Amino acid sequence: MMAKNELIYLDNAATTKVDPLVLEAMLPYLEDGFANPSAGYGPAHKARHAVEEARKEVAELIGAEPDEVFFTSGGTESDQLALSGALAAIGGCAGRSGFVIVSDELEHPAVRNTLAHLEKTGQASLIKVKPESNGFIGASALSEVLEGRGFTSAGTCKNGIISIMTANNEIGTINDMDGIAGVAEQNGFLLHSDAVQALGHIPVDVSRIGFDLLSASAHKLGGPKGIGMLYIRRGTPFSSMSFGGGQERGIRSGTENVAGIVGFGRAAQLAGNRMEEDRVYVSGLRDRLISRICAEIPDTILTGPACFNEEEKDRRLPGSASFAFRGIQGSSLVIRLDMAGICASTGSACSASSGKNSHVLSGIGVSPEYIGGSLRITLSRGNTPDEIERAADIIAQSVADLRRLGNYH
Ligand code: PLP
């Protein structure tokens, strides 16, 4: 058994460690700088200034204007606010009889369950686009689904919302958001994207791609938990579903989480500065792990974008390696890895706790003999080459042990 300080943390899609520079930036606002930024005295003005500086940092990371960034409590709230707020606003468009949301089966529950609620309560009808087998949501599949339904981009009213994630949290797929934005525009739809796993890891640029709404969360890029943001492009129809004291210009009420916001700003700044260097380093570790696992463990599939296909390789998040092993239970593997000092998961933290097969793996058609044996490894700049070698050894050994115990031939 490994000593505690030898822990190998390979679950960065679940959450990341707060970067020491982020913590340093936050601490003053948990100590003497604790004032409520809405108050009328000096320390409060200082807190307000810190919030607005952080807003600029987050806006800069995505190519937005600061007044298009609204702080929330995280990715879940941003997704929910984006979909319900935009739907409420376009619902006021005269002459339309029903609003449509187009999405897919691979979204995070924050989007899926919001959509299910909107459908169940009769606020919108849902159209789902089928993913490709490697997990991409194709712009052409989206276009085909909308074709012939009479949607046009004529007039200022919107027909509905397209909500497709920028990158998938289980299999690391990076979607062609540029192509998807083009389809949204042609058909008169707003485009929302859950960019929680993408922000800070790959370029996400609203000045280049036609996102109308974009959700993100600080704890996936070295920031603290409980702070997120919703980007709303200027001019996007939006009626907030958050009522209270009117903070965040009435879009998201509630006293600001000043230290969290400051941490998010600092994390965004660091991620922007380090993105390319980290991408090269982390994807190198990922490729080494993938090549060892695929070569050394028989009956393994890499779920999501292909292993060594040059075109697809760059369409997998830099830190994401996801596998399915035939004939074992992923949950047993995660326990064995934990006993050996490795933190990894079967899929998303949410599906791991429910004990159900992942909706993402079933959505891309992973076969029944493999689907229960999933393992998601997500790396960060904090991982070392030595950790990757040790993890590969331990994973190979653990899969072999589980197969032997289960009489797998
Ligand atoms: N969307 C995606 C793709 C995620 O991976 C997550 C978190 O795992 C969320 C939304 C929810 O974000 P938060 O934990 O900040 O609520």
Side-chain angles (χ1 to χ4, degrees):
M1 189 85 81
M2 284 187 179
K4 248 205 153 72
N5 61 2
E6 287 181 83
L7 199 83
I8 302 179
Y9 184 75
L10 306 179
D11 200 17
N12 288 279
T15 197
T16 57
K17 183 177 175 185
V18 173
D19 190 288
L21 296 174
V22 168
L23 184 62
E24 188 184 294
M26 291 172 68
L27 280 176
Y29 298 94
L30 294 166
E31 295 172 339
D32 292 347
F34 63 86
N36 185 325
S38 298
Y41 33 79
H45 298 322
K46 217 171 146 201
R48 168 65 57 211
H49 179 72
V51 166
E52 297 314 321
E53 287 303 302
R55 198 184 309 280
K56 285 186 203 156
E57 298 294 357
V58 173
E60 191 175 334
L61 182 63
I62 60 169
E65 294 299 328
D67 67 358
E68 296 173 310
V69 168
F70 299 86
F71 290 114
T72 66
S73 66
T76 301
E77 186 187 349
S78 296
D79 284 339
Q80 202 173 318
L81 184 62
L83 294 166
S84 55
L87 194 68
I90 60 175
C93 250
R96 302 261 189 237
S97 56
F99 293 91
V100 175
I101 301 187
V102 188
S103 190
D104 61 90
E105 282 302 343
L106 311 188
E107 296 294 317
H108 187 274
V111 167
R112 291 176 86 217
N113 293 343
T114 301
L115 296 184
H117 170 76
L118 293 173
E119 187 179 41
K120 200 165 136 206
T121 50
Q123 299 178 64
S125 54
L126 267 186
I127 300 176
K128 292 267 173 89
V129 190
K130 259 180 96 69
E132 295 164 15
S133 61
N134 45 13
F136 297 119
I137 309 299
S140 51
L142 177 65
S143 180
E144 273 166 36
V145 153
L146 295 177
E147 219 170 78
R149 291 180 188 250
F151 295 127
T152 70
S153 58
T156 51
C157 273
K158 294 291 176 187
N159 294 310
I161 306 165
I162 290 175
S163 181
I164 293 180
M165 67 206 314
T166 301
N168 187 275
N169 49 306
E170 290 192 34
I171 54 175
T173 334
I174 301 171
N175 286 317
D176 165 22
M177 295 314 300
D178 202 8
I180 288 168
V183 178
E185 198 187 343
Q186 274 159 26
N187 288 276
F189 276 70
L190 292 176
L191 176 62
H192 165 253
S193 187
D194 176 332
V196 168
Q197 292 292 340
L199 192 80
H201 303 286
I202 56 170
V204 175
D205 187 351
V206 302
S207 70
R208 203 177 61 73
I209 295 182
F211 297 106
D212 298 296
L213 301 146
L214 190 96
S215 313
S217 183
H219 73 106
K220 310 292 186 177
L221 57 139
K225 294 168 192 57
I227 183 75
M229 71 102 193
L230 175 61
Y231 159 78
I232 309 177
R233 185 179 294 279
R234 268 188 208 153
T236 302
F238 199 85
S239 297
S240 178
M241 296 286 103
S242 166
F243 305 108
Q247 289 89 345
E248 294 296 295
R249 285 152 291 140
I251 297 291
R252 200 280 188 171
S253 285
T255 303
E256 296 87 342
N257 172 1
V258 178
I261 290 172
V262 168
F264 194 0
R266 186 73 173 118
Q269 184 190 46
L270 292 169
N273 294 343
R274 295 165 172 171
M275 193 180 296
E276 184 50 20
E277 187 190 323
D278 284 359
R279 188 191 65 77
V280 171
Y281 175 71
V282 175
S283 61
L285 298 180
R286 173 200 67 186
D287 291 349
R288 171 69 183 158
L289 184 72
I290 289 176
S291 68
R292 278 204 57 193
I293 301 265
C294 290
E296 293 174 29
I297 309 182
D299 296 342
T300 294
I301 52 179
L302 180 75
T303 50
C307 222
F308 294 108
N309 169 330
E310 280 308 311
E311 194 198 326
E312 284 191 18
K313 206 169 105 177
D314 290 336
R315 296 190 61 197
R316 178 181 273 277
L317 284 172
S320 169
S322 49
F323 309 93
F325 305 107
R326 190 176 171 149
I328 63 158
Q329 279 305 313
S331 50
S332 309
L333 178 58
V334 164
I335 293 170
R336 283 199 160 238
L337 296 180
D338 183 28
M339 285 162 61
I342 294 179
C343 302
S345 65
T346 53
S348 67
C350 318
S351 66
S353 61
S354 77
K356 292 192 198 136
N357 280 341
S358 142
H359 69 277
V360 173
L361 299 185
S362 32
I364 59 170
V366 172
S367 67
E369 316 89 77
Y370 282 90
I371 201 165
S374 60
L375 179 70
R376 177 186 73 175
I377 304 275
T378 43
L379 309 171
S380 77
R381 67 194 312 274
N383 293 120
T384 63
D386 181 52
E387 285 181 337
I388 299 305
E389 300 307 330
R390 278 159 55 209
D393 291 343
I394 294 168
I395 293 167
Q397 187 60 53
S398 304
V399 171
D401 289 348
L402 286 170
R403 283 178 171 168
R404 204 175 37 253
L405 288 169
N407 277 329
Y408 176 81
H409 301 290

